[in-house]
Each structure stands twice: as C-alpha cells, then as structure tokens.
Amino acid sequence: MAKQKGIIKLEGTMDDVNFYYWKGKPCARKAGGGFNGERIKNSSTMVRVRENYSEFGNCSKVKSSLKASLHPFLNAYREGELHGRMMQLLQQIKACDMISERGKRTVGNGIGTSMGRMLFQQFEFTPNRSVSKTLMGIGSFDWDTYSYSVSRFFINDVVFPLSATHFEVSFGVLNFDFATLNYKLFMGTPLLLDRDFVDSSFSLRPKDLPVVGGKEFAFVGLKFYQEVNGTKYLLQNESAIGLEVVGVR
C-alpha cells in the first residue's frame, strides 16, 4: 500500500493501479491480485470469501441505517474513522450469532445475545468526548419511565472545550428493526446549560414514549457552543460533540 502525494487525489482504477481512501487518507495499490467477480462467485475455493462477503454486506447495511438513525446526535460530528470503527463493532456483534450457519450470521441475531448487547453499550462513538466523564455526576437510565437522570452534578466539574460557553445535553430512545432496517428515534427536549447553572441534578425523557417493536437503545448526547453577540454557534472540533449508549434491550 502506497500513499498518494500531490495536489490532486485520485479515486478509482487507472493504468492497473487502484486509487482509494483508507482511514481518510488517499492511498494506491496495484490492481488485480487474482480476485475477480466470476471466480469469487463460482470457485469452490472461494466459499469462505463468499461467506465473508455476505456477512460483511449485512453489517454494511446495518451500519448505514444505524448511522442515519443517529443523525440528530452526530449530524455535525466529523471523524474519519467512525465508519471503520462502527463496521468493526458490528462485525464483532455479528460473530455473537451462534444460531446461524457461517455466511448467514447477522447483526440482529448477534445483538440478541448478552455479549452482543454489552459490545454495543461499551462502544465509544465519540472517543474524544465521553458523556459520563464530562458530566461527572451519577447518571442512570430507567427503562420503566424511559428517563435519564443525573445527580450530584456540579457545573464546575465540567471541562469545557476552549472558547465554549454553553453545552447541550440531549436524550433519545431508538427503536431499530434489524430485519427491515426501519427505525424511529424518540427524542426529548434538550437541556442547555451555561457556566452559571446551579442545579445539582436534572432529568430527561422522550416527548413521546417509544412504541414496542425492534431493539431499543437509549442514547445521551452532548454538544458544546460558543455564544457570540447573543448567538450560539456549535463548535466543530471532535471534542465538542459526544454520544454515549446508556441502555440496550
């Protein structure tokens, strides 16, 4: 694998060289290598490759729908490695599917296991901004009331990014059907806090209670703003946006 240099970055195949992006960086490599569509489709030696392709395709479709469902949280988040990290997570969850034969394992079956749910809940969507470490208080989520609460919260414990004057805490519960890839996100009213916030606790819940169906995921998000002449501007660096999973079932 070679890295591309120069003003113009290419993507595609030219003169037997594949130009592509890896982890957000332009790279190049010699085309070919013995793999082609006909051989992969029919060769008896390519069974494992076909199995991997099938399962990878399922993970890719789930990733696209899942990322779209989280748009209210991540619409301004820019990190070149998020796609790859989400794909790695979903492939790990897919591997938890112990009821399907190889080549037919799915993320939906995988996340139905305790290990699959644990992997999802521990995943760091925003490594540079941890929600729990930012709020520092005691956070808890209650499935019975669909409410997320933070106690023992002190605004002086919050580490603001440089130039930030405010931050917003948002909460939502996602219904996600892994069979159809349909989803609906039930959001609560965001809470906007500044450095003068005095309360030591707060609670958030969706404006509309989620309907039953599919898997359910509870998310808490953070966004930091800078106020200039009465107008609040969302900061664009990676540490200004956070997202964390607080419940999976």
Side-chain angles (χ1 to χ4, degrees), residues 42-99:
N42 298 306
S43 175
S44 60
T45 63
M46 292 289 171
V47 173
R48 184 55 55 87
V49 174
R50 289 195 292 273
E51 292 173 348
N52 291 339
Y53 269 27
S54 176
E55 294 182 350
F56 185 87
N58 172 254
C59 292
S60 182
K61 291 176 182 178
V62 171
K63 191 278 304 179
S64 295
S65 293
L66 180 61
K67 192 173 181 182
S69 73
L70 299 175
H71 183 264
F73 293 108
L74 298 173
N75 61 316
Y77 186 65
R78 302 290 180 266
E79 185 214 335
E81 296 185 3
L82 179 58
H83 164 81
R85 294 193 300 106
M86 288 183 68
M87 282 297 296
Q88 184 178 32
L89 166 70
L90 295 176
Q91 290 186 83
Q92 290 173 343
I93 293 174
K94 172 264 301 178
C96 296
D97 178 1
M98 299 298 177
I99 62 176

Side-chain angles (χ1 to χ4, degrees), residues 176-189:
F176 195 96
D177 189 323
F178 284 90
T180 65
L181 301 184
N182 293 327
Y183 58 83
K184 186 167 184 179
L185 181 62
F186 297 83
M187 294 292 294
T189 301

Side-chain angles (χ1 to χ4, degrees), residues 1-5 8-14 16-32:
M1 180 180 70
K3 295 181 180 179
Q4 296 186 52
K5 292 185 178 181
I8 300 175
K9 305 304 181 184
L10 303 176
E11 189 169 4
T13 301
M14 181 182 299
D16 295 326
V17 177
N18 288 333
F19 298 93
Y20 62 101
Y21 281 81
W22 174 252
K23 294 186 177 181
K25 297 180 180 180
C27 302
R29 65 185 174 192
K30 184 178 179 180

Side-chain angles (χ1 to χ4, degrees), residues 87-249:
M87 282 297 296
Q88 184 178 32
L89 166 70
L90 295 176
Q91 290 186 83
Q92 290 173 343
I93 293 174
K94 172 264 301 178
C96 296
D97 178 1
M98 299 298 177
I99 62 176
S100 304
E101 60 185 85
R102 191 177 183 93
K104 297 182 179 180
R105 295 176 297 179
T106 66
V107 178
N109 287 338
I111 208 160
T113 67
S114 58
M115 176 61 72
R117 291 189 293 272
M118 183 187 73
L119 287 169
F120 193 94
Q121 183 148 353
Q122 292 180 347
F123 180 69
E124 293 184 319
F125 280 88
T126 55
N128 292 316
R129 175 55 66 178
S130 166
V131 174
S132 55
K133 291 180 180 178
T134 297
L135 297 179
M136 294 293 290
I138 301 175
S140 61
F141 173 65
D142 181 18
W143 280 113
D144 291 332
T145 60
Y146 287 103
S147 61
Y148 174 74
S149 302
V150 176
S151 60
R152 298 182 64 182
F153 171 76
F154 302 99
I155 194 66
N156 289 336
D157 290 338
V158 177
V159 178
F160 282 67
L162 186 65
S163 77
T165 58
H166 297 71
F167 73 94
E168 177 185 84
V169 186
S170 56
F171 174 71
V173 175
L174 174 66
N175 281 134
F176 195 96
D177 189 323
F178 284 90
T180 65
L181 301 184
N182 293 327
Y183 58 83
K184 186 167 184 179
L185 181 62
F186 297 83
M187 294 292 294
T189 301
L191 176 65
L192 186 66
L193 299 84
D194 62 17
R195 295 175 183 271
D196 296 325
F197 186 79
V198 296
D199 291 343
S200 60
S201 64
F202 59 84
S203 182
L204 299 169
R205 63 178 297 178
K207 289 181 286 187
D208 299 310
L209 289 181
V211 296
V212 177
K215 295 296 182 181
E216 291 184 310
F217 307 89
F219 292 91
V220 179
L222 293 178
K223 291 182 180 179
F224 283 86
Y225 296 84
Q226 180 183 24
E227 185 174 37
V228 180
N229 296 327
T231 301
K232 297 175 182 64
Y233 297 92
L234 177 63
L235 299 181
Q236 297 298 315
N237 59 72
E238 290 181 12
S239 65
I241 296 176
L243 179 63
E244 196 163 292
V245 187
V246 294
V248 178
R249 73 170 182 178

